[in-house]
Amino acid sequence: MSSLKAIRTRIRSVKSTQQITRAMKMIAVARLRRAQDAVQAARPYAERLRRVLDEPTLRSSISLHPLVKARPQHRSHIILVTGDRGLCGGFNANAIRRYLRFKLENEAKLEEIQLSTIGRKGYDYFNRRGEVRAHHAGLFSNLTFGAVKELSRGWTERFLADEFDALYLVYNELVGVASQRVTLMRLLPFELSPGDPDAPEDAAFEPLFEPGRAALLDALLPRAVAAQAWRALLESMAGEQAARMAAMESATNNAADLIAALTLQYNRTRQAAITKELVEVVSGAEALA
């Protein structure tokens, strides 16, 4: 049976851990609100840009653009998005498993699967295996659209240079405060809305483009790719905070249950010690009598 001192020490230790998890939960709540605001602010731009690209007068040209036109896939590049820290439940592990599943399903069909990572957890896991081709460190410490736009520009240039045939993002999409969905999104070739390539154009309406359709698409499509990547990274950042908030809430509740169990054990042990002392006193008094 544990001594009273050992039980008291453990109760103090669990209470200290509970204070830490409660504080981490509150920090995650504040960061989640900011991340959700950023996601809401980014959506109008992405949606408006999507509507512009969905214009019927652009469809005949956009389907032939090199950033949209599909090609036979021999080499795929995966951008794995995880967090920089742990203590967020299965957030990082789920994204890692999704990439491993993609690799298992496609390694026999593809000549090469290239891997880049955003987030330290994914990098640490695959760098030990020597699979990481590039790592974008510290991106989530100061996530800005300018940084994401520069990244997407590099990906677009490599795609146009035929370094790979398709680019995918693996990230956690925020479904709700209590849940995230691991998503595999094709970033390049850029995917149009379903049914758009086959939609008929209005022959009676032929607008004039300045400086021209080709130049317009050359400017808009890289922006659309950057907007998609920006939205995905914001979703991942918000999902990480939601997962950490849920994990810390669960840890706080578990600590409360453990404190209650240890307190009960302490009281029982203390009562047993008092009873034993009383029995010894009574036994000694009867022996003297």
Side-chain angles (χ1 to χ4, degrees):
M1 183 178 292
S2 301
S3 66
L4 292 175
K5 182 178 179 181
I7 297 175
R8 284 198 302 268
T9 300
R10 193 176 179 195
I11 290 174
R12 286 196 298 268
S13 176
V14 175
K15 285 183 177 180
S16 177
T17 302
Q18 186 185 42
Q19 291 176 350
I20 294 173
T21 58
R22 186 180 289 115
M24 291 184 67
K25 175 192 171 184
M26 299 307 297
I27 293 173
V29 169
R31 290 178 176 175
L32 174 60
R33 289 172 181 168
R34 290 199 298 269
Q36 286 178 317
D37 291 342
V39 171
Q40 293 293 335
R43 281 175 181 167
Y45 174 78
E47 291 174 358
R48 182 60 179 170
L49 187 56
R50 169 71 71 177
R51 286 199 297 270
V52 170
L53 293 174
D54 286 343
E55 284 293 326
T57 53
L58 288 175
R59 287 175 189 151
S60 60
S61 300
I62 197 172
S63 60
L64 301 177
H65 195 278
L67 290 181
V68 175
K69 189 176 181 180
R71 62 177 79 163
Q73 291 192 29
H74 302 290
R75 293 165 296 174
S76 293
H77 194 104
I78 311 297
I79 309 295
L80 175 63
V81 183
T82 59
D84 289 327
R85 296 182 299 160
L87 298 177
C88 51
F91 177 85
N92 296 312
N94 290 337
I96 290 173
R97 280 196 294 266
R98 183 63 184 91
Y99 165 73
L100 292 174
R101 193 176 80 189
F102 176 89
K103 183 179 178 182
L104 181 64
E105 293 172 350
N106 295 277
E107 60 185 351
K109 298 182 290 185
L110 298 174
E111 296 177 3
E112 183 183 12
I113 298 177
Q114 306 168 6
L115 174 66
S116 294
T117 56
I118 297 176
R120 188 171 58 85
K121 288 299 180 179
Y123 172 75
D124 290 344
Y125 184 88
F126 288 104
N127 188 51
R128 294 191 294 266
R129 304 183 178 193
E131 297 185 32
V132 180
R133 171 164 296 198
H135 174 58
H136 308 289
L139 188 63
F140 284 122
S141 61
N142 185 25
L143 185 61
T144 62
F145 181 72
V148 176
K149 184 178 178 181
E150 186 65 22
L151 271 181
S152 66
R153 184 183 64 81
W155 297 335
T156 302
E157 290 177 352
R158 293 175 58 194
F159 175 75
L160 294 176
D162 291 333
E163 293 188 22
F164 48 80
D165 302 311
L167 177 68
Y168 296 91
L169 274 177
V170 176
Y171 68 99
N172 283 276
E173 183 180 0
L174 182 65
V175 178
V177 176
S179 61
Q180 302 84 43
R181 177 175 57 235
V182 181
T183 302
L184 176 70
M185 179 180 69
R186 195 183 80 186
L187 200 59
L188 290 169
F190 188 78
E191 293 186 280
L192 300 175
S193 299
D196 286 348
D198 299 328
E201 291 190 22
D202 186 0
F205 177 68
E206 182 63 28
L208 296 177
F209 293 95
E210 180 66 32
R213 289 191 186 187
L216 183 63
L217 292 176
D218 287 340
L220 289 180
L221 281 171
R223 289 175 179 269
V225 173
Q228 288 285 85
W230 170 243
R231 184 188 62 81
L233 292 180
L234 288 177
E235 293 271 1
S236 179
M237 187 169 64
E240 180 185 0
Q241 298 306 326
R244 181 168 291 111
M245 181 189 71
M248 292 302 100
E249 182 178 8
S250 178
T252 302
N253 295 336
N254 291 338
D257 295 339
L258 183 56
I259 291 171
L262 288 172
T263 302
L264 181 60
Q265 181 184 359
Y266 175 82
N267 292 334
R268 287 177 176 174
T269 303
R270 181 171 174 270
Q271 186 64 41
I274 293 173
T275 303
K276 182 180 179 181
E277 290 178 0
L278 288 175
V279 169
E280 290 176 351
V281 170
V282 173
S283 300
E286 290 181 352
L288 290 176

